Amino acid sequence: AKRKELAEKGETMADDEGPKPITYIGALQIPMVAQYALAFGFFKLTNYVLFFWLPYFLSNNFDDVTANLIALLYSVGMMPGGIIVGAVSDLFGGRRAVVIGTFMCLLIFFLAFFAAKSESGMSPVTLLVLLGFMGILVGGPNNIITSAVAADLASHPSVRGNNKSLGTVTGLINGCGSITASVGLLAVGPLQDKFGWGSVWFYLIGCTATGTLLMGTKIYAELFPPRETPSVSV
């Protein structure tokens, strides 16, 4: 429409001479994109299982209304999670991957506690406290990982200064994460039927640990950044 309007006035609009959008194959070749996509998928899977299956798990020991109210605290805990992760990562010099990895390691501890107590039952107060903390630990990394990816990848030569490519990369990571999480959800029902709820919690521990390990390269780079060799002028 803008081009047609300018043509009627006898003017021309310059063609977009900016960098072309990156392809999906090119996006996957950028360092850490594939790892981020898979890690985000495993983290998202943990979130989906807790969000959708918690009320059913709690209904084994509580009535439906009470089970849903207790499970609600997990969603409430997710809301401040992103704020807390962002503030903590800024406090430690923008080391987002390190903070995300720390939160995931803490989540593994809580999941292990659930695995140990899943058959014997827990008091409502204990569940409220645990689910509130778990909501923070899951919601924080899930809310901040896409923005962390955008910030980290913006400096890559193939993306720098190209908003089209940045959108493709972040969209690819989000899409792959959703696919991984959706496929992983299919295993929860059979696991619960055959081996009980303890196997579901161990499944989530494995998913969380795998996602954290996939970010290991980035975590190591943030903990032990390469030293810059001083340039010597002649």
Side-chain angles (χ1 to χ4, degrees):
K2 181 81 179 285
R3 189 183 295 274
K4 184 178 179 181
E5 182 182 347
L6 291 174
E8 291 175 354
K9 296 179 180 179
E11 302 176 3
T12 59
M13 186 171 67
D15 294 331
D16 184 6
E17 297 180 353
K20 295 181 180 180
I22 195 171
T23 63
Y24 286 115
I25 300 298
L28 287 172
Q29 293 174 348
I30 299 175
M32 286 303 299
V33 168
Q35 289 94 319
Y36 268 129
L38 287 173
F40 186 46
F42 284 112
F43 295 156
K44 208 167 189 178
L45 171 58
T46 302
N47 179 32
Y48 281 0
V49 172
L50 290 172
F51 183 81
F52 290 115
W53 284 85
L54 263 177
Y56 180 66
F57 164 71
L58 294 172
S59 65
N60 294 327
N61 299 308
F62 305 96
D63 61 84
D64 291 341
V65 175
T66 305
N68 280 282
L69 287 174
I70 294 175
L72 180 65
L73 200 66
Y74 170 75
S75 300
V76 173
M78 290 188 69
M79 290 188 286
I83 300 173
I84 294 172
V85 170
V88 173
S89 63
D90 288 343
L91 186 65
F92 288 94
R95 294 182 174 90
R96 287 176 288 269
V98 173
V99 175
I100 290 173
T102 303
F103 272 50
M104 291 295 102
C105 289
L106 290 173
L107 177 64
I108 290 174
F109 170 78
F110 283 101
L111 291 172
F113 185 82
F114 260 88
K117 299 290 185 179
S118 58
E119 303 299 335
S120 59
M122 288 176 276
S123 68
V125 176
T126 303
L127 283 168
L128 288 171
V129 174
L130 285 177
L131 293 178
F133 277 110
M134 288 172 70
I136 294 173
L137 295 174
V138 174
N142 274 276
N143 290 331
I144 204 174
I145 192 169
T146 49
S147 60
V149 169
D152 292 339
L153 298 180
S155 59
H156 193 271
S158 61
V159 181
R160 187 183 297 136
N162 188 353
N163 291 330
K164 304 172 188 175
S165 296
L166 195 58
T168 300
V169 171
T170 53
L172 178 67
I173 291 172
N174 272 304
C176 290
S178 297
I179 293 171
T180 304
S182 300
V183 172
L185 271 174
L186 299 176
V188 176
L191 278 174
Q192 191 272 328
D193 288 337
K194 193 167 185 179
F195 302 107
W197 279 106
S199 64
V200 176
W201 303 121
F202 281 114
Y203 175 62
L204 294 184
I205 289 172
C207 293
T208 306
T210 303
T212 306
L213 288 173
L214 284 167
M215 295 188 65
T217 304
K218 182 63 179 176
I219 293 173
Y220 183 86
E222 289 185 356
L223 288 174
F224 307 100
R227 295 181 179 179
E228 298 182 359
T229 55
S231 57
V232 180
S233 58
V234 181

